[in-house]
Amino acid sequence: EKVDAKPDLNLIEPGGAYLIWLDFRGLRLSGQELDEFLVKKAKIWLDEDRKFGAAGEGFYRLNSACPRSGLVKAVDRLIALL
């Protein structure tokens, strides 16, 4: 199920796994632009779309199997920039 996180960002609600799929296609950035946005501006590292072939383009994977405080910081930084 898609959940509207921000106007240009959607997340695919996890089905019991610890991986959250984020749909960044609404930002209309190239893969390189999106990588730079995430790493340099948001200061988060996600599994990029290219790992998942053409069907994965625009999607990044967030691993939520980490301390909650780190996850909250990362998501807060991302949302603040959007």
Side-chain angles (χ1 to χ4, degrees), residues 1-3 5 9-24 45-48 52 58-66 68 71-72 75 78:
E1 175 183 341
K2 283 176 79 170
V3 178
L9 173 66
N10 288 296
L11 67 91
I12 310 302
E13 205 169 315
Y18 58 89
L19 299 172
I20 300 169
W21 287 92
L22 299 171
D23 178 357
F24 287 95
W45 186 275
L46 304 174
D47 283 327
E48 75 271 0
F52 310 104
F59 290 88
Y60 282 63
R61 205 167 63 173
L62 174 65
N63 185 331
S64 63
C66 62
R68 184 176 175 89
L71 184 61
V72 169
V75 171
L78 178 59

Side-chain angles (χ1 to χ4, degrees), residues 32-74:
Q32 183 176 353
E33 291 171 327
L34 191 49
D35 287 345
E36 289 178 16
F37 169 78
L38 292 170
V39 174
K40 293 181 180 177
K41 290 185 178 179
K43 299 187 185 332
I44 59 175
W45 186 275
L46 304 174
D47 283 327
E48 75 271 0
D49 57 356
R50 291 179 294 282
K51 285 184 173 182
F52 310 104
E57 193 170 326
F59 290 88
Y60 282 63
R61 205 167 63 173
L62 174 65
N63 185 331
S64 63
C66 62
R68 184 176 175 89
S69 61
L71 184 61
V72 169
K73 283 181 191 177

